[in-house]
Amino acid sequence: MRKPIIAGNWKLNKLTAEAKSLVNELMVGLKDIDKAVLPEVVVAPVFTSLQTVSDALSECGCGKVKLSAQNCYWESTGAFTGEVSVEMIKDLKAEYIIIGHSERRQYFSETDEMINKKAKAILAGGLIPIICCGETLEQREEGVTDSHIASQIKAALEGLSSEDVAKSAIAYEPIWAIGTGKTCDSVEANRVIAMIRSVVAEVSGKEAADAIRILYGGSVKPSTIEEQMSQSDIDGALVGGASLKAEDFIGIVTGAIKARV
Ligand code: PGA
């Protein structure tokens, strides 16, 4: 059984004090939920709040919320002004790193090759990459969704061992559904995610494909999560906007639990 992941991508939001109150509210909201039924709950604040959020999580000591960064660089040290390495993120007790988000591909010109280098560095450092993929509306209308995503996945996983792929996570995020309020139909999202799983099986073997967690992202809300999590291949959610309000994010976590009991 794959343990679901509900990850909150806070993007470029929240000053340090705000990040601290959000994570504290979140932990209060999760207090009465038995850890055994809880998915992996992950939050990804901006780099400047990682330390504060990490401290808040250690103070609580409940181990119910895990920390993620939103990006990283693949070199560990050196003359790379403005970059942050996997080792530095690990030093703050983060366990996940989101890579290849469509916003990074679109606004910061990240290529499949860069995402592959990041995935390798993250796994070498013992962290878990959440590798994002997804099609634009134009690609969907042209009928190239599957081939585009398959090529993103093959490029991201290039040269990774099956064991490393098994530990990783992928987030399928149709770009037209991100921040738009429009979610992808659950059956269609499940179809694409099952297709991604078959691509993983082709490149890394069946065992890795059975183990890798593949999430859906794109306007996930408390009202959509149960149907999404009831699908055969959707192993969780990468949540943007709705992760910025503790009440909504907790609603998504509890909805995911309900869908699986
Ligand atoms: P959204 O963002 O939930 O606001 O659509 C999802 C994401 O970009 O990860």
Side-chain angles (χ1 to χ4, degrees):
M1 254 307 249
R2 297 181 292 265
K3 189 171 171 94
I5 299 174
I6 302 292
N9 173 11
W10 295 358
K11 306 192 181 183
L12 185 57
N13 291 291
K14 306 279 176 197
L15 297 174
T16 303
E18 296 166 335
K20 187 177 176 176
S21 7
L22 177 56
V23 76
N24 282 332
E25 267 181 79
L26 208 57
M27 287 185 294
V28 170
L30 299 176
K31 198 165 52 88
D32 295 330
I33 305 177
D34 183 356
K35 215 172 157 187
V37 299
L38 205 62
E40 294 269 295
V41 179
V42 178
V43 294
V46 292
F47 283 132
T48 49
S49 293
L50 279 176
Q51 178 76 69
T52 301
V53 172
S54 179
D55 290 345
L57 295 176
S58 314
E59 238 167 74
C60 163
C62 61
K64 286 183 174 174
V65 179
K66 307 268 167 80
L67 189 61
S68 174
Q70 297 176 16
N71 183 29
C72 68
Y73 193 55
W74 56 83
E75 297 287 351
S76 51
T77 55
F80 303 103
T81 303
E83 294 299 321
V84 177
S85 71
V86 172
E87 219 178 339
M88 291 163 183
I89 293 166
K90 190 179 177 178
D91 193 33
L92 303 180
K93 305 195 181 73
E95 294 171 61
Y96 291 82
I97 303 180
I98 299 169
I99 51 170
H101 192 281
S102 61
E103 288 150 16
R104 295 219 53 88
R105 295 180 191 255
Q106 187 183 346
Y107 306 131
F108 304 99
S109 311
E110 286 201 6
T111 63
D112 284 333
E113 196 192 353
M114 289 158 80
I115 292 154
N116 175 245
K117 284 185 181 170
K118 292 181 185 197
K120 284 179 177 155
I122 294 167
L123 287 156
L127 277 72
I128 301 171
I130 301 177
I131 305 163
C132 302
C133 63
E135 82 287 0
T136 61
L137 188 57
E138 294 70 49
Q139 287 168 323
R140 176 157 283 268
E141 284 169 354
E142 278 167 28
V144 297
T145 297
D146 291 14
S147 58
H148 172 69
I149 289 167
S151 94
Q152 284 185 321
I153 295 302
K154 284 181 184 169
L157 303 183
E158 172 79 42
L160 298 185
S161 69
S162 303
E163 293 72 33
D164 276 347
V165 171
K167 286 181 221 154
S168 303
I170 291 173
Y172 166 56
E173 300 200 303
I175 297 171
W176 48 271
I178 296 177
T180 57
K182 271 189 233 162
T183 45
C184 177
D185 173 74
S186 301
V187 172
E188 171 60 9
N190 192 56
R191 184 196 68 77
V192 176
I193 287 178
M195 183 278 298
I196 294 172
R197 208 176 292 288
S198 70
V199 172
V200 175
E202 193 189 311
V203 297
S204 308
K206 189 176 179 307
E207 243 176 77
D210 285 343
I212 193 169
R213 267 86 55 88
I214 312 182
L215 322 181
Y216 167 77
S219 298
V220 173
K221 301 180 263 301
S223 59
T224 64
I225 190 71
E226 276 188 61
E227 195 188 310
Q228 288 156 341
M229 290 301 290
S230 306
Q231 305 296 320
S232 60
D233 278 80
I234 302 182
D235 301 323
L238 183 56
V239 186
S243 70
L244 296 172
K245 272 176 71 190
E247 192 191 340
D248 288 349
F249 194 59
I250 291 161
I252 291 170
V253 172
T254 51
I257 296 171
K258 254 196 238 161
R260 292 297 171 103
V261 288

